[in-house]
Amino acid sequence: MITFRDYYNNEVRLSFDDHPFSKDPRHVWVICRHKGKWLLTKHKERGLEFPGGKVESGETAKEAAIREVMEETGGTIQQIDYIGQYLVEGRKATVVKNVYYAKVDKLTEQETYFETDGPILLNYIPGKVKYIKKYSFVMKDGVLENCMKFLKKNNIQL
Ligand code: GTP
């Protein structure tokens, strides 16, 4: 378990165990690759971030992850794997989020990208993302950094 504070000074606990905080998390976040690039979305308010969102009723977390990637980027998932889970102790609510790693094989232009402006492809994610305004706060805590380390350590092919 890794513990740190986020951009808003909320406590975050991250683990790469199998669903340590909730078997039934209400939120998902998907680290995506497409054709050798990172696939993000541009949230209209928060800025650049990996796609994700809330699990809807009747849906599993993995189904929500696949749906959110399509809605926010137009991406079709070829492969998706659970990598970890984190809990944010917010001022109003506690949020539990599953993190997935996904390979997107096709991007199809969508009529709407919901609360985002659609897909953004990046060759690399800057190390100093914390200090770059255009990135969302969800990219600015230890979750991204530790998930990237996890992918590397486990030799997961990017
Ligand atoms: P709505 O319910 O749709 O209005 O969204 P919301 O942003 O108010 O609520 P949500 O349940 O998505 O998140 C509640 C709070 O948890 C946010 O305001 C953040 O402070 C925190 N939070 C949510 N997701 C993340 C995340 O991925 N990382 C971090 N560090 N904090 C998060």
Side-chain angles (χ1 to χ4, degrees):
M1 174 103 63
I2 310 161
T3 305
F4 43 83
R5 298 249 161 201
D6 74 0
Y7 186 77
Y8 295 118
N9 206 31
N10 290 323
E11 189 175 289
V12 183
R13 278 179 272 162
L14 168 69
S15 165
F16 297 103
D17 293 343
D18 182 16
H19 295 80
F21 307 114
S22 171
K23 289 282 161 224
D24 190 25
R26 305 321 300 156
H27 298 252
V28 294
W29 198 50
V30 193
I31 296 176
C32 292
R33 291 284 284 179
H34 175 65
K35 293 191 175 163
K37 294 184 177 183
W38 299 106
L39 171 63
L40 290 79
T41 187
K42 189 178 173 204
H43 190 279
K44 285 185 198 291
E45 275 139 38
R46 296 193 296 260
L48 302 185
E49 61 188 26
F50 282 116
K54 292 196 175 102
V55 180
E56 291 178 353
S57 70
E59 208 178 40
T60 65
K62 195 179 245 184
E63 285 165 352
I66 294 167
R67 176 184 49 76
E68 289 285 355
V69 170
M70 172 52 76
E71 286 182 0
E72 297 186 345
T73 71
T76 311
I77 286 176
Q78 172 196 339
Q79 196 199 323
I80 181 162
D81 295 301
Y82 167 90
I83 62 172
Q85 194 177 65
Y86 61 100
L87 180 149
V88 185
E89 205 79 68
R91 262 163 293 176
K92 285 190 216 141
T94 300
V95 170
V96 178
K97 233 174 240 208
N98 272 5
V99 186
Y100 296 89
Y101 174 64
K103 287 263 176 89
V104 165
D105 56 359
K106 204 169 106 196
L107 280 183
T108 309
E109 205 177 316
Q110 303 292 299
E111 265 181 28
T112 173
Y113 292 98
F114 294 80
E115 63 275 32
T116 84
D117 291 330
I120 300 282
L121 288 164
L122 298 178
N123 285 323
Y124 71 98
I125 295 167
K128 286 184 175 163
V129 81
K130 242 179 230 159
Y131 308 103
I132 308 176
K133 205 171 161 235
K134 69 179 176 185
Y135 284 90
S136 160
F137 80 94
V138 303
M139 303 285 285
K140 292 179 174 166
D141 59 37
V143 174
L144 176 66
E145 188 186 327
N146 285 288
C147 287
M148 291 301 189
K149 277 189 197 151
F150 175 89
L151 295 176
K152 205 169 177 186
K153 203 173 105 197
N154 289 279
N155 289 319
I156 294 172
Q157 213 214 324
L158 298 180

